Amino acid sequence: MSDNVIDLFKTGSTPAESSHEETPASEPPAGTPAGPVAKPLPWWVRSRAATQELLRNERARTTARLVARHSMYVIGGSRIVARRAWDGRTASRYERMLRAAEVAGKYEVASEWEERGRQFRAARHQRRMDLLAAPQRIAKGALYATATTAGVALLLGIVLAIANENVADVLAPARAIVELVRWLVVIVSVVWGPLITLGPWLALLALWGVGRHQQAAPQWALPADQRSTDGAPITPSVVVTALRDLGVAPLRTAIKDMGDAGAAMLGPIRIAGCGVEVDVTLPSGVSTAEVQSRRRKLAENLARHEHEVFITIAQAARTVRLWIADSGALDEPIGPSPLVTDPDLTADYKSGRASWGQDLRGDAALLSLFQRHMLITGLSNQGKTAALRALALWLALDPRVEFRVADLKGAGDWAMFDQLATTLIQGPTDDHVIDATEMLEGVVEEMERRLMAPPGTVFTPLVALVDEAQVAFMCPAVTPGKDKRPYGGSKATSRYFMAARKIHNQGRAVDVLLFQGTQDPTDQNLPKLVREGAHTRASLALGTESQARMALGDKAVDGGAAPNQLRPGLDKGTVVVASDGIDIPAGQASITVRTHYIDTEQATEIAERAKARRSGVTTQHTSTPDGEQRDALTDILTILGDSPRVLTQDVLKRLSQLSEDTYGEWTNTDLTRVLTDAGAKPRKSDGRMVVDRERVARALTNRGDDGSASAAS
């Protein structure tokens, strides 16, 4: 029997099974030593394999998380209840608040907490003194209650005995009280056993409930829907924890010294548009720059993406202002522009403000353009032209404003300004840059003419707008002749650069403004003197911080402006603005605006509304070469447009806009001479001299083929 058992453990089969096994076809010859016998794997190897197999089992992992989660609920609940009890019985809460106030440098608040702690200790001492005298008071109270109860029962019994005429009823109330006590003892004796049994379980259940409510379990043990913290609400504890884990040693140490009172650094958490805003007063030894430089890590600690957290410098010393967006809110589009939704909208250059978009709080971003040069820049295809065009379209609704536009991209983005702008140049070639430069120099001449006017003269606004201005600065063309002045560049001889500088220096005083749009700024395609001459500087997404400084200036970037943190392609139309023409929160140097997008079709409709508010505007598309002979009668008919009659003064003004070289010095005498020779003499209408379109058209039809009578030299 023992031999069979030994064989069973060695071979893993019974003797009977072994007897039925067939003999292998080939057996080793007699006398040949047997091969090595396979040994069973060690227990630790088998245990590791079994553990790995168990960990790969989804049901086993779910069960382990379930057990760990509910166990930690009880442990965490016990810790929370113990902490609450300790805070309620001791002065530790006041000590923490006192240390937090001292670390934050708020010594008046620290004194207040110290006084509160002293009052708490005095009240606790009084309660303890009262407890020492409690047994005597309890004994006296019990004796008094017993005597009172016995007296009341006896009096009630006498009343019953008299009423019932039965002496035995005198003790009836006493017997009832004794019976009540007996039943109370019986009930307690019955309930006491189960209560003792269930009490600990009820206590555990209560602790489990506290832990579950506070989610006092590791993240890996929580259910999947609770494990993700994306979009978690921003609470003081969340903000303090995010700051503590920011990697700034002095900040972490200060928060650790504060205990749970790190929230004392925080101001009120306010709802601000599609997110919340909170001011954080940093402890001594921590600079605002250290927090700003860790924006990405702070955002991740707050369970947000980097673009959903903005850090700016608040007005108070040593304070940063955090704006934290609701998760995914910045990816939602904003509503349409009022220019599109309100066909009756008007504009006022002097007192009005353009509705450009919304700030991060969801409030309307209103920008004043009055006497402010503008520069907007950003990477290619980020919405620069659309943002600049939206401002120009709003301004075009004021019929007093004259536009001279040069689009050096030439993709038709500004085509709707034909018959709205007095000059419209579209194209990226050197010839277009030359035309744009001459346009800007013409604006300079007009500015200088206005500067010579008597003081107090009121001028109509003149806006020179150049989109893709970097093309002009990088143009290699030079002026023909001896001087060889370059059109591009940033030297004192550069024609475009000098014209822009002159307008920046003196233009705003006579309502002559320069709006420029550029992309991917560098010192070469956007000289420092030009970019610093703009009063309103806006930037879309950029690649580097150095570009952000070029676009907005050092002050704005040092104050928290970070267009280089915007996401190219995803944050199209979002601009960071530094200007005194827009409301910026106190203490900040810039504001982030999500601009309204107006597509080309909508822009054309708005431009048509603007044209309807103006008498016909003749648009000059290219410069006229020197010495070119113009047909004055044809030009007059062109500038009359569809109007049946136009004042002679307006005709002269439009002719001057059409060709300054040809008609700039014309007077009423010159105009009357040309029209009289052509048979279209001006006439009076309502006491004022006008040019009749029908007469000019008839004269142009009937004149001789040589056209000599109406040629202008």
Side-chain angles (χ1 to χ4, degrees), residues 60-117:
R61 291 203 303 270
T62 303
T63 303
R65 281 197 297 266
L66 180 68
V67 173
R69 179 167 67 249
H70 292 286
S71 300
M72 291 306 299
Y73 281 164
V74 176
I75 297 173
S78 302
R79 179 179 55 81
I80 294 170
V81 170
R83 186 60 176 270
R84 290 174 180 174
W86 179 260
D87 286 345
R89 300 295 299 175
T90 67
S92 60
R93 177 181 303 170
Y94 302 95
E95 293 292 338
R96 288 200 305 271
M97 298 299 248
L98 174 62
R99 291 197 302 271
E102 288 177 344
V103 171
K106 301 177 180 179
Y107 297 107
E108 293 182 0
V109 178
S111 300
E112 181 180 346
W113 281 111
E114 184 178 14
E115 177 61 21
R116 291 184 183 182

Short mmCIF file of all heavy atoms in Angstrom, two decimals, residues 60-117:
data_model
loop_
_atom_site.label_atom_id
_atom_site.label_comp_id
_atom_site.label_asym_id
_atom_site.label_seq_id
_atom_site.Cartn_x
_atom_site.Cartn_y
_atom_site.Cartn_z
N ALA A 60 -11.79 39.80 -11.78
CA ALA A 60 -10.99 39.83 -10.54
C ALA A 60 -10.56 41.27 -10.22
O ALA A 60 -10.60 41.69 -9.06
CB ALA A 60 -9.76 38.93 -10.69
N ARG A 61 -10.16 42.03 -11.26
CA ARG A 61 -9.77 43.42 -11.02
C ARG A 61 -10.94 44.24 -10.51
O ARG A 61 -10.81 45.07 -9.60
CB ARG A 61 -9.19 44.03 -12.30
CG ARG A 61 -7.85 43.46 -12.72
CD ARG A 61 -7.10 44.43 -13.61
NE ARG A 61 -7.87 44.79 -14.78
CZ ARG A 61 -7.83 44.15 -15.95
NH1 ARG A 61 -7.02 43.10 -16.07
NH2 ARG A 61 -8.56 44.53 -16.97
N THR A 62 -12.12 44.02 -11.10
CA THR A 62 -13.30 44.76 -10.65
C THR A 62 -13.64 44.43 -9.20
O THR A 62 -13.97 45.31 -8.40
CB THR A 62 -14.49 44.42 -11.56
OG1 THR A 62 -14.16 44.73 -12.92
CG2 THR A 62 -15.72 45.20 -11.15
N THR A 63 -13.52 43.15 -8.85
CA THR A 63 -13.80 42.74 -7.47
C THR A 63 -12.80 43.36 -6.50
O THR A 63 -13.16 43.83 -5.42
CB THR A 63 -13.77 41.21 -7.36
OG1 THR A 63 -14.72 40.65 -8.30
CG2 THR A 63 -14.11 40.75 -5.96
N ALA A 64 -11.52 43.37 -6.90
CA ALA A 64 -10.49 43.96 -6.04
C ALA A 64 -10.74 45.45 -5.83
O ALA A 64 -10.61 45.97 -4.72
CB ALA A 64 -9.12 43.71 -6.64
N ARG A 65 -11.10 46.16 -6.91
CA ARG A 65 -11.40 47.58 -6.77
C ARG A 65 -12.61 47.81 -5.87
O ARG A 65 -12.63 48.74 -5.06
CB ARG A 65 -11.65 48.20 -8.15
CG ARG A 65 -10.39 48.52 -8.92
CD ARG A 65 -10.68 49.49 -10.05
NE ARG A 65 -11.59 48.94 -11.03
CZ ARG A 65 -11.22 48.32 -12.14
NH1 ARG A 65 -9.93 48.16 -12.40
NH2 ARG A 65 -12.12 47.85 -12.98
N LEU A 66 -13.62 46.93 -6.00
CA LEU A 66 -14.82 47.07 -5.17
C LEU A 66 -14.48 46.90 -3.70
O LEU A 66 -14.90 47.71 -2.85
CB LEU A 66 -15.86 46.02 -5.62
CG LEU A 66 -17.19 46.03 -4.86
CD1 LEU A 66 -17.95 47.31 -5.18
CD2 LEU A 66 -18.02 44.81 -5.22
N VAL A 67 -13.71 45.89 -3.38
CA VAL A 67 -13.35 45.64 -1.98
C VAL A 67 -12.49 46.78 -1.45
O VAL A 67 -12.72 47.30 -0.34
CB VAL A 67 -12.62 44.28 -1.86
CG1 VAL A 67 -12.08 44.08 -0.45
CG2 VAL A 67 -13.57 43.14 -2.23
N ALA A 68 -11.49 47.20 -2.24
CA ALA A 68 -10.61 48.28 -1.79
C ALA A 68 -11.38 49.58 -1.62
O ALA A 68 -11.17 50.32 -0.66
CB ALA A 68 -9.47 48.46 -2.79
N ARG A 69 -12.30 49.85 -2.55
CA ARG A 69 -13.04 51.10 -2.49
C ARG A 69 -13.88 51.20 -1.22
O ARG A 69 -13.80 52.18 -0.48
CB ARG A 69 -13.93 51.24 -3.72
CG ARG A 69 -14.77 52.50 -3.72
CD ARG A 69 -15.39 52.75 -5.08
NE ARG A 69 -16.39 51.76 -5.46
CZ ARG A 69 -16.24 50.87 -6.43
NH1 ARG A 69 -15.11 50.81 -7.10
NH2 ARG A 69 -17.20 50.02 -6.73
N HIS A 70 -14.67 50.17 -0.94
CA HIS A 70 -15.56 50.23 0.22
C HIS A 70 -14.78 50.11 1.53
O HIS A 70 -15.21 50.69 2.55
CB HIS A 70 -16.62 49.14 0.10
CG HIS A 70 -17.59 49.39 -1.02
ND1 HIS A 70 -18.57 50.35 -0.96
CD2 HIS A 70 -17.70 48.82 -2.25
CE1 HIS A 70 -19.26 50.35 -2.10
NE2 HIS A 70 -18.75 49.43 -2.90
N SER A 71 -13.66 49.43 1.51
CA SER A 71 -12.83 49.39 2.72
C SER A 71 -12.24 50.77 3.00
O SER A 71 -12.24 51.24 4.15
CB SER A 71 -11.70 48.37 2.55
OG SER A 71 -12.23 47.07 2.34
N MET A 72 -11.78 51.44 1.94
CA MET A 72 -11.21 52.77 2.13
C MET A 72 -12.27 53.80 2.48
O MET A 72 -11.97 54.81 3.12
CB MET A 72 -10.44 53.19 0.88
CG MET A 72 -9.18 52.40 0.62
SD MET A 72 -8.06 52.39 2.04
CE MET A 72 -7.69 54.13 2.20
N TYR A 73 -13.52 53.56 2.04
CA TYR A 73 -14.60 54.45 2.47
C TYR A 73 -14.70 54.47 3.99
O TYR A 73 -14.86 55.53 4.61
CB TYR A 73 -15.93 54.01 1.87
CG TYR A 73 -16.14 54.41 0.42
CD1 TYR A 73 -17.13 53.80 -0.35
CD2 TYR A 73 -15.35 55.38 -0.18
CE1 TYR A 73 -17.33 54.16 -1.67
CE2 TYR A 73 -15.53 55.73 -1.50
CZ TYR A 73 -16.53 55.12 -2.24
OH TYR A 73 -16.72 55.47 -3.55
N VAL A 74 -14.63 53.28 4.60
CA VAL A 74 -14.74 53.18 6.07
C VAL A 74 -13.52 53.83 6.73
O VAL A 74 -13.66 54.62 7.67
CB VAL A 74 -14.88 51.71 6.49
CG1 VAL A 74 -14.88 51.60 8.02
CG2 VAL A 74 -16.15 51.10 5.92
N ILE A 75 -12.32 53.51 6.21
CA ILE A 75 -11.11 54.08 6.81
C ILE A 75 -11.07 55.59 6.63
O ILE A 75 -10.79 56.35 7.57
CB ILE A 75 -9.86 53.41 6.19
CG1 ILE A 75 -9.86 51.91 6.51
CG2 ILE A 75 -8.59 54.08 6.69
CD1 ILE A 75 -8.76 51.14 5.80
N GLY A 76 -11.37 56.05 5.41
CA GLY A 76 -11.37 57.48 5.16
C GLY A 76 -12.45 58.20 5.96
O GLY A 76 -12.24 59.30 6.47
N GLY A 77 -13.64 57.57 6.08
CA GLY A 77 -14.69 58.17 6.89
C GLY A 77 -14.29 58.29 8.35
O GLY A 77 -14.60 59.29 9.01
N SER A 78 -13.59 57.26 8.87
CA SER A 78 -13.11 57.33 10.26
C SER A 78 -12.13 58.48 10.43
O SER A 78 -12.17 59.21 11.43
CB SER A 78 -12.43 56.00 10.63
OG SER A 78 -13.33 54.92 10.46
N ARG A 79 -11.24 58.65 9.45
CA ARG A 79 -10.28 59.74 9.55
C ARG A 79 -10.98 61.10 9.51
O ARG A 79 -10.64 62.01 10.28
CB ARG A 79 -9.28 59.62 8.39
CG ARG A 79 -8.24 60.73 8.36
CD ARG A 79 -7.28 60.52 7.20
NE ARG A 79 -7.97 60.42 5.94
CZ ARG A 79 -8.42 61.48 5.23
NH1 ARG A 79 -8.21 62.70 5.71
NH2 ARG A 79 -9.03 61.31 4.09
N ILE A 80 -11.98 61.23 8.63
CA ILE A 80 -12.68 62.51 8.52
C ILE A 80 -13.45 62.82 9.80
O ILE A 80 -13.41 63.95 10.31
CB ILE A 80 -13.63 62.47 7.30
CG1 ILE A 80 -12.82 62.38 6.01
CG2 ILE A 80 -14.53 63.70 7.28
CD1 ILE A 80 -13.66 62.11 4.78
N VAL A 81 -14.15 61.81 10.35
CA VAL A 81 -14.92 62.02 11.59
C VAL A 81 -13.98 62.35 12.74
O VAL A 81 -14.25 63.23 13.56
CB VAL A 81 -15.78 60.79 11.89
CG1 VAL A 81 -16.39 60.89 13.28
CG2 VAL A 81 -16.87 60.64 10.84
N ALA A 82 -12.83 61.64 12.81
CA ALA A 82 -11.88 61.91 13.88
C ALA A 82 -11.32 63.33 13.76
O ALA A 82 -11.17 64.03 14.77
CB ALA A 82 -10.75 60.89 13.83
N ARG A 83 -11.05 63.74 12.51
CA ARG A 83 -10.53 65.10 12.32
C ARG A 83 -11.57 66.15 12.72
O ARG A 83 -11.25 67.16 13.35
CB ARG A 83 -10.12 65.28 10.85
CG ARG A 83 -9.44 66.61 10.56
CD ARG A 83 -8.17 66.76 11.40
NE ARG A 83 -7.46 67.96 11.08
CZ ARG A 83 -6.51 68.05 10.15
NH1 ARG A 83 -6.19 66.98 9.43
NH2 ARG A 83 -5.88 69.17 9.93
N ARG A 84 -12.82 65.90 12.36
CA ARG A 84 -13.88 66.83 12.74
C ARG A 84 -14.04 66.90 14.26
O ARG A 84 -14.20 67.99 14.83
CB ARG A 84 -15.20 66.41 12.10
CG ARG A 84 -15.25 66.61 10.59
CD ARG A 84 -16.53 66.03 10.02
NE ARG A 84 -16.60 66.20 8.57
CZ ARG A 84 -17.57 65.68 7.81
NH1 ARG A 84 -18.55 64.97 8.39
NH2 ARG A 84 -17.57 65.87 6.51
N ALA A 85 -13.99 65.72 14.91
CA ALA A 85 -14.12 65.70 16.36
C ALA A 85 -12.95 66.43 17.02
O ALA A 85 -13.12 67.19 17.99
CB ALA A 85 -14.20 64.26 16.85
N TRP A 86 -11.74 66.19 16.48
CA TRP A 86 -10.56 66.86 17.04
C TRP A 86 -10.66 68.38 16.87
O TRP A 86 -10.35 69.14 17.79
CB TRP A 86 -9.32 66.32 16.37
CG TRP A 86 -8.04 66.96 16.85
CD1 TRP A 86 -7.34 67.94 16.24
CD2 TRP A 86 -7.35 66.68 18.06
NE1 TRP A 86 -6.25 68.29 16.97
CE2 TRP A 86 -6.23 67.51 18.13
CE3 TRP A 86 -7.57 65.77 19.12
CZ2 TRP A 86 -5.32 67.50 19.17
CZ3 TRP A 86 -6.68 65.75 20.16
CH2 TRP A 86 -5.56 66.60 20.20
N ASP A 87 -11.10 68.81 15.69
CA ASP A 87 -11.25 70.25 15.46
C ASP A 87 -12.32 70.85 16.36
O ASP A 87 -12.21 72.00 16.80
CB ASP A 87 -11.60 70.52 13.99
CG ASP A 87 -10.42 70.33 13.05
OD1 ASP A 87 -9.28 70.27 13.57
OD2 ASP A 87 -10.63 70.23 11.83
N GLY A 88 -13.37 70.08 16.62
CA GLY A 88 -14.44 70.59 17.46
C GLY A 88 -14.08 70.66 18.93
O GLY A 88 -14.63 71.49 19.67
N ARG A 89 -13.17 69.80 19.40
CA ARG A 89 -12.83 69.74 20.82
C ARG A 89 -11.56 70.50 21.16
O ARG A 89 -11.29 70.75 22.33
CB ARG A 89 -12.66 68.27 21.25
CG ARG A 89 -13.89 67.41 21.05
CD ARG A 89 -15.03 67.85 21.93
NE ARG A 89 -14.71 67.75 23.34
CZ ARG A 89 -15.49 68.17 24.32
NH1 ARG A 89 -16.65 68.75 24.03
NH2 ARG A 89 -15.13 68.03 25.59
N THR A 90 -10.76 70.85 20.16
CA THR A 90 -9.49 71.54 20.42
C THR A 90 -9.44 72.85 19.64
O THR A 90 -10.33 73.16 18.84
CB THR A 90 -8.29 70.66 20.02
OG1 THR A 90 -8.29 70.50 18.59
CG2 THR A 90 -8.38 69.28 20.68
N ALA A 91 -8.40 73.59 19.87
CA ALA A 91 -8.21 74.87 19.19
C ALA A 91 -7.34 74.74 17.95
O ALA A 91 -6.79 75.72 17.47
CB ALA A 91 -7.59 75.88 20.15
N SER A 92 -7.22 73.54 17.41
CA SER A 92 -6.33 73.33 16.26
C SER A 92 -6.79 74.13 15.04
O SER A 92 -5.97 74.62 14.25
CB SER A 92 -6.27 71.84 15.91
OG SER A 92 -7.57 71.36 15.59
N ARG A 93 -8.11 74.27 14.85
CA ARG A 93 -8.61 75.03 13.72
C ARG A 93 -8.14 76.48 13.79
O ARG A 93 -7.70 77.06 12.80
CB ARG A 93 -10.14 74.97 13.69
CG ARG A 93 -10.78 75.79 12.59
CD ARG A 93 -12.28 75.69 12.66
NE ARG A 93 -12.71 74.29 12.59
CZ ARG A 93 -13.97 73.89 12.82
NH1 ARG A 93 -14.89 74.77 13.15
NH2 ARG A 93 -14.29 72.62 12.72
N TYR A 94 -8.23 77.06 14.99
CA TYR A 94 -7.80 78.44 15.14
C TYR A 94 -6.29 78.58 14.96
O TYR A 94 -5.81 79.58 14.42
CB TYR A 94 -8.23 78.96 16.52
CG TYR A 94 -9.72 78.87 16.75
CD1 TYR A 94 -10.27 77.78 17.40
CD2 TYR A 94 -10.56 79.87 16.29
CE1 TYR A 94 -11.64 77.69 17.60
CE2 TYR A 94 -11.93 79.78 16.49
CZ TYR A 94 -12.47 78.69 17.14
OH TYR A 94 -13.82 78.59 17.33
N GLU A 95 -5.55 77.56 15.38
CA GLU A 95 -4.10 77.60 15.20
C GLU A 95 -3.74 77.56 13.72
O GLU A 95 -2.83 78.27 13.27
CB GLU A 95 -3.45 76.42 15.94
CG GLU A 95 -3.57 76.48 17.45
CD GLU A 95 -2.75 77.62 18.03
OE1 GLU A 95 -1.80 78.07 17.35
OE2 GLU A 95 -3.06 78.08 19.14
N ARG A 96 -4.44 76.74 12.94
CA ARG A 96 -4.16 76.66 11.51
C ARG A 96 -4.46 77.98 10.81
O ARG A 96 -3.69 78.46 9.98
CB ARG A 96 -4.98 75.53 10.87
CG ARG A 96 -4.50 74.14 11.22
CD ARG A 96 -5.01 73.13 10.20
NE ARG A 96 -6.45 73.19 10.08
CZ ARG A 96 -7.31 72.49 10.83
NH1 ARG A 96 -6.85 71.70 11.78
NH2 ARG A 96 -8.61 72.59 10.63
N MET A 97 -5.61 78.56 11.14
CA MET A 97 -5.95 79.83 10.53
C MET A 97 -4.97 80.93 10.93
O MET A 97 -4.62 81.81 10.12
CB MET A 97 -7.37 80.24 10.95
CG MET A 97 -8.43 79.26 10.50
SD MET A 97 -8.45 79.15 8.69
CE MET A 97 -10.02 79.88 8.35
N LEU A 98 -4.50 80.88 12.17
CA LEU A 98 -3.52 81.85 12.64
C LEU A 98 -2.22 81.73 11.85
O LEU A 98 -1.65 82.73 11.39
CB LEU A 98 -3.28 81.65 14.13
CG LEU A 98 -2.16 82.48 14.78
CD1 LEU A 98 -2.48 83.96 14.66
CD2 LEU A 98 -1.99 82.08 16.24
N ARG A 99 -1.74 80.50 11.67
CA ARG A 99 -0.50 80.29 10.91
C ARG A 99 -0.67 80.72 9.45
O ARG A 99 0.24 81.31 8.85
CB ARG A 99 -0.07 78.83 10.98
CG ARG A 99 0.42 78.39 12.35
CD ARG A 99 1.19 77.09 12.24
NE ARG A 99 0.39 76.03 11.65
CZ ARG A 99 -0.40 75.21 12.33
NH1 ARG A 99 -0.49 75.33 13.66
NH2 ARG A 99 -1.09 74.27 11.72
N ALA A 100 -1.86 80.42 8.86
CA ALA A 100 -2.10 80.80 7.46
C ALA A 100 -2.07 82.31 7.29
O ALA A 100 -1.50 82.84 6.34
CB ALA A 100 -3.45 80.25 7.01
N ALA A 101 -2.68 83.02 8.23
CA ALA A 101 -2.68 84.49 8.15
C ALA A 101 -1.28 85.05 8.32
O ALA A 101 -0.89 86.01 7.64
CB ALA A 101 -3.62 85.06 9.21
N GLU A 102 -0.48 84.45 9.21
CA GLU A 102 0.89 84.92 9.40
C GLU A 102 1.73 84.69 8.15
O GLU A 102 2.52 85.55 7.74
CB GLU A 102 1.52 84.22 10.60
CG GLU A 102 0.96 84.69 11.95
CD GLU A 102 1.56 83.92 13.11
OE1 GLU A 102 2.16 82.85 12.85
OE2 GLU A 102 1.43 84.38 14.25
N VAL A 103 1.56 83.51 7.53
CA VAL A 103 2.33 83.21 6.32
C VAL A 103 1.95 84.16 5.20
O VAL A 103 2.80 84.62 4.42
CB VAL A 103 2.10 81.75 5.91
CG1 VAL A 103 2.72 81.48 4.54
CG2 VAL A 103 2.70 80.80 6.94
N ALA A 104 0.65 84.50 5.11
CA ALA A 104 0.19 85.41 4.06
C ALA A 104 0.52 86.86 4.37
O ALA A 104 0.27 87.74 3.55
CB ALA A 104 -1.31 85.25 3.86
N GLY A 105 1.07 87.13 5.55
CA GLY A 105 1.41 88.50 5.92
C GLY A 105 0.22 89.33 6.38
O GLY A 105 0.32 90.55 6.47
N LYS A 106 -0.91 88.69 6.69
CA LYS A 106 -2.11 89.40 7.15
C LYS A 106 -2.14 89.36 8.68
O LYS A 106 -2.82 88.54 9.29
CB LYS A 106 -3.37 88.76 6.56
CG LYS A 106 -3.39 88.74 5.04
CD LYS A 106 -4.61 88.02 4.49
CE LYS A 106 -4.62 88.00 2.99
NZ LYS A 106 -5.80 87.28 2.43
N TYR A 107 -1.40 90.26 9.28
CA TYR A 107 -1.22 90.22 10.74
C TYR A 107 -2.47 90.67 11.49
O TYR A 107 -2.72 90.21 12.61
CB TYR A 107 -0.02 91.08 11.12
CG TYR A 107 1.27 90.56 10.52
CD1 TYR A 107 1.89 91.23 9.47
CD2 TYR A 107 1.84 89.37 10.98
CE1 TYR A 107 3.05 90.73 8.90
CE2 TYR A 107 3.00 88.88 10.41
CZ TYR A 107 3.60 89.55 9.37
OH TYR A 107 4.74 89.06 8.80
N GLU A 108 -3.27 91.54 10.92
CA GLU A 108 -4.52 91.92 11.57
C GLU A 108 -5.47 90.73 11.64
O GLU A 108 -6.12 90.50 12.66
CB GLU A 108 -5.16 93.08 10.81
CG GLU A 108 -4.38 94.38 10.89
CD GLU A 108 -5.09 95.50 10.15
OE1 GLU A 108 -6.17 95.23 9.61
OE2 GLU A 108 -4.56 96.62 10.14
N VAL A 109 -5.54 89.98 10.54
CA VAL A 109 -6.37 88.77 10.54
C VAL A 109 -5.82 87.75 11.52
O VAL A 109 -6.57 87.06 12.22
CB VAL A 109 -6.44 88.18 9.11
CG1 VAL A 109 -7.26 86.90 9.10
CG2 VAL A 109 -7.04 89.21 8.15
N ALA A 110 -4.48 87.66 11.60
CA ALA A 110 -3.87 86.73 12.56
C ALA A 110 -4.26 87.10 13.99
O ALA A 110 -4.56 86.22 14.82
CB ALA A 110 -2.35 86.74 12.39
N SER A 111 -4.26 88.38 14.31
CA SER A 111 -4.66 88.81 15.66
C SER A 111 -6.11 88.46 15.93
O SER A 111 -6.47 88.06 17.05
CB SER A 111 -4.44 90.32 15.80
OG SER A 111 -3.09 90.66 15.60
N GLU A 112 -6.94 88.59 14.91
CA GLU A 112 -8.36 88.25 15.09
C GLU A 112 -8.54 86.77 15.39
O GLU A 112 -9.30 86.39 16.28
CB GLU A 112 -9.13 88.65 13.83
CG GLU A 112 -10.63 88.37 13.93
CD GLU A 112 -11.36 88.77 12.66
OE1 GLU A 112 -10.76 89.49 11.84
OE2 GLU A 112 -12.52 88.37 12.51
N TRP A 113 -7.79 85.92 14.67
CA TRP A 113 -7.90 84.48 14.92
C TRP A 113 -7.30 84.12 16.28
O TRP A 113 -7.78 83.20 16.96
CB TRP A 113 -7.20 83.69 13.81
CG TRP A 113 -8.02 83.59 12.57
CD1 TRP A 113 -7.79 84.17 11.36
CD2 TRP A 113 -9.24 82.86 12.42
NE1 TRP A 113 -8.76 83.86 10.48
CE2 TRP A 113 -9.68 83.04 11.08
CE3 TRP A 113 -9.99 82.06 13.27
CZ2 TRP A 113 -10.84 82.47 10.60
CZ3 TRP A 113 -11.17 81.48 12.79
CH2 TRP A 113 -11.58 81.68 11.47
N GLU A 114 -6.27 84.82 16.68
CA GLU A 114 -5.70 84.57 18.01
C GLU A 114 -6.73 84.89 19.10
O GLU A 114 -6.87 84.15 20.08
CB GLU A 114 -4.45 85.41 18.19
CG GLU A 114 -3.72 85.16 19.50
CD GLU A 114 -2.46 85.98 19.63
OE1 GLU A 114 -2.29 86.93 18.84
OE2 GLU A 114 -1.65 85.67 20.52
N GLU A 115 -7.46 85.97 18.93
CA GLU A 115 -8.49 86.34 19.90
C GLU A 115 -9.62 85.31 19.92
O GLU A 115 -10.13 84.93 20.97
CB GLU A 115 -9.03 87.73 19.57
CG GLU A 115 -10.18 88.19 20.46
CD GLU A 115 -9.79 88.29 21.92
OE1 GLU A 115 -8.57 88.40 22.21
OE2 GLU A 115 -10.69 88.25 22.78
N ARG A 116 -10.00 84.83 18.74
CA ARG A 116 -11.04 83.79 18.68
C ARG A 116 -10.57 82.52 19.38
O ARG A 116 -11.35 81.86 20.08
CB ARG A 116 -11.39 83.48 17.22
CG ARG A 116 -12.13 84.61 16.53
CD ARG A 116 -12.54 84.17 15.12
NE ARG A 116 -13.18 85.24 14.39
CZ ARG A 116 -13.67 85.11 13.16
NH1 ARG A 116 -13.58 83.95 12.53
NH2 ARG A 116 -14.26 86.13 12.56
N GLY A 117 -9.31 82.17 19.21
CA GLY A 117 -8.77 80.99 19.89
C GLY A 117 -8.77 81.16 21.39
O GLY A 117 -9.08 80.22 22.15
#
